[in-house]
Amino acid sequence: CPERLEKLKNVILKIFSKFGKITNDFYPIADGKTKGYIFLEYSAPSHAHEAVKSADGYKLDKQHTFRVNLFTDFDKYMSISDEWEAPEKQPFKDFGNLRHWLEDPDCRDQYSVIYDSGERTGIFANDVKEPIEVEERARWTETYVRWSPKGTYLATFHQRGIALWGGEKFKQIQRFSHQGVQLIDFSPCERYVVTFSPLMDTKDDPQAIIIWDVLTGQKKRGFHCESSAHWPIFKWSPDGKFFARMTQDTLSIYETPSMGLLDKKSLRINGIKDFSWSPGDNIIAFWVPEDKDIPARVTLMQLPSRNEIRVRNLFNVVDCKLHWQKNGDYLCVKVDRTPKGTQGVVTNFEIFRMREKQVPVDVVEMKESIIAFAWEPNGSKFAVLHGESPRINVSFYHVKNNGKIDLIKMFDKQQANSIFWSPQGQFLVLAGLRSMNGALAFVDTSDCTMMNIAEHYMASDVEWDPTGRYVVTSVSWWSHKVDNAFWLWTFQGRLLQKTNKERFCQLLWRPRPPSLLTQEQIKLIKKDLKKYSKIFEQKDRLSQSKASKELVDKRRSMMEDYRKYRERTIDMYNEQKPLRLELRGGVDTDELDSNLETNKFECSSYTKQFSVKPVNSRLPKICCLTDFKQLALT
């Protein structure tokens, strides 16, 4: 009927107007009904291509799915020959060495910087003197950027989707079309990327969350999402083989590459509040609050078998937070309790020893409010900020092998609200960000000494480099509109440089992939470090020389020219040797003065030496009588 047709036209116009301006539409009708297809004309060819790319396969409802083609496709498919022809082999796209930055002879790490209120993005190599620009582009991203977990790709955000860049010149490696994309997340193996957009999502055709294959650029699966308040929605296993999401009373675990439910069914867990993967094993930890007479509990589940390897019952629980140590050796469950007969909240740290039989649990109780908690990345220590301003304390604990957890040091009256461990452990920065005016304390936890106390006024972010040698503090334009800059410090708290960027927004270090060296090889290098230190010290002295960079480059160029000239001259000298032998009657005079100091050209026939003014200035001035004729002739 005409009313339904008008309604259908409005729906189609609403869907396809997202891709561009529609200048003409035609609905073929026969016997008062549409023929089931339409023709749409856009103001630009690019809009038509985008409509085909995004709307083909779009589900209007359970019974109707759009198939969208360009009008020129009809001519293309009508002219196909009946005889089969083998498809042409597609040329290999060489994007260069995607890990070339690791081959830098000076081992400089890279970082991305967004400045000019987001208009400009640059990639810089870290140097003690000043940042070295690697790449810089205008409007490279529309919001912010993200590095992939191993540093292979740089992701940029655009209204129509995500682009991945890499290689020596940061060429575009891949792009994913997802209109209105706002958030992304990579799998730890970098094989998949997850994107979120609040646009174009229906229950029948989920498009809010899409999982893509990074290598092929293909969409693997779409998921529905009501809210992205807790991003990432999906959490990945450390090897990238599984990912999971939590909904009401349900934990759904999916496997790759099929993207289907593990064992084709979700886990029913009544009241599940939070879950987290172990960083070192395919183990999921989740917790469930109390329900009437049933206590709260924390469960450790092995995947894919779904065996429960440990269950811990908890009482009078208000809230729980799960904190994994970087290698998965320990799990700390921060439990906030209200003990019976008291009004205050008491915090317990339940420490699960994951590498020991039956996973024993130790408890550390703290009666003060907890501000921050953080594990040492590659060790068995953890730090806790607790108390109320201005009496904020930081405590350092050591989880020992004998089943004890020792308090090794406590600093009181600290201006700090955040803990930032070095990626390699041992060193950390206590920072009072934003409201605490950027107070900084650099701590060595091996003997718990305060190496330095400093300040970066109104600092909003702290970022360690992947090696743990340098740390950057910054004031982002996104949080504070003046004094936007980033400062580079050593791990000991010595300020190296201040870099002011107009309306600086974000700095992110480029991650490094895991080392190819074994633990035994790393230990051997550390043992023989003194053998290499002389080379490093020599390079450091050279870099600290007062000679300008231009003068050093000029000297290096001159030295290279001399080296090439010397090689050419030696080659010519060697080529002319037969000619010299011929001119000297077969006597090789190239080595006449090689033992001048010791032998003084002693001769068995004559020992008397003569002083001769040679005909050729290249001839030796001292010679013996027996060689005199040969010399005179030449």
Side-chain angles (χ1 to χ4, degrees), residues 576-596:
Q576 292 176 348
K577 185 168 184 176
L579 180 59
R580 289 197 302 275
L581 289 173
E582 182 181 350
L583 291 172
R584 290 164 172 77
V587 177
D588 187 357
T589 60
D590 291 350
E591 306 294 333
L592 276 178
D593 57 350
S594 62
N595 55 356
L596 185 62

Side-chain angles (χ1 to χ4, degrees), residues 21 50 65 83 133 142 159 218 229 250 271 327 337 395 408 439 475 511 524 541 544 564 581 628:
K21 183 180 179 181
E50 187 65 28
T65 302
E83 296 181 3
E133 185 178 289
E142 294 179 14
Q159 180 59 30
Q218 294 180 344
T250 304
N327 300 328
R337 286 192 174 96
S395 296
I408 53 178
V475 181
L524 185 62
R541 283 195 298 270
Q544 293 170 3
K564 291 179 180 179
L581 289 173
F628 184 78

Side-chain angles (χ1 to χ4, degrees), residues 69 79 121-122 227 254 265 286 303 332 344 386 404 486 543 559:
N69 293 91
S79 60
T121 303
S227 172
Y254 302 85
K265 60 182 179 180
F286 63 87
L303 272 301
C332 173
H386 53 95
K404 293 183 180 180
F486 60 90
S543 66
M559 188 65 192

Side-chain angles (χ1 to χ4, degrees), residues 12 156 352 381 437 463 465 492 531 584 605:
I12 290 175
T156 57
F352 291 70
K381 293 192 286 289
N437 297 330
E463 296 282 347
D465 86 313
Q492 296 168 317
K531 184 172 67 175
R584 290 164 172 77
S605 302

Side-chain angles (χ1 to χ4, degrees), residues 8 51 77 83 106 153 174 178 259 288 290 339 342 347 401 403 437 445 480 528 536 568 583 593 597 600 622 632:
L8 176 64
Y77 295 125
E83 296 181 3
D106 293 317
Y153 309 106
Q174 199 60 264
H178 198 181
M259 304 297 162
V288 177
E290 294 178 77
T342 62
T347 299
N401 295 328
N437 297 330
T445 63
H480 194 64
D528 299 336
F536 302 147
R568 290 197 306 269
L583 291 172
D593 57 350
E597 294 297 325
K600 293 190 180 294
I622 304 296

Side-chain angles (χ1 to χ4, degrees), residues 196 201 203 208 224-228 245:
F196 167 78
D201 188 36
K203 290 185 177 180
H224 178 65
C225 179
E226 295 179 354
S227 172
S228 63
R245 75 180 297 185

Side-chain angles (χ1 to χ4, degrees), residues 465-483:
D465 86 313
T467 66
R469 293 181 296 171
Y470 304 100
V471 61
V472 164
T473 59
S474 59
V475 181
S476 172
W477 184 78
W478 291 335
S479 61
H480 194 64
K481 300 303 180 186
V482 295
D483 299 329

Side-chain angles (χ1 to χ4, degrees), residues 2 21 27 29 35 51 108 114 167 201 208 218 221 329 395-396 399 418 422 427 475 478 535 558 629:
K21 183 180 179 181
Y27 293 75
I29 297 176
K35 291 188 175 183
R108 298 186 185 96
I114 297 177
D201 188 36
Q218 294 180 344
R221 184 173 175 179
D329 297 337
S395 296
F396 298 98
V399 183
S418 304
S422 162
F427 305 101
V475 181
W478 291 335
I535 303 172
M558 292 173 65
K629 286 186 178 181

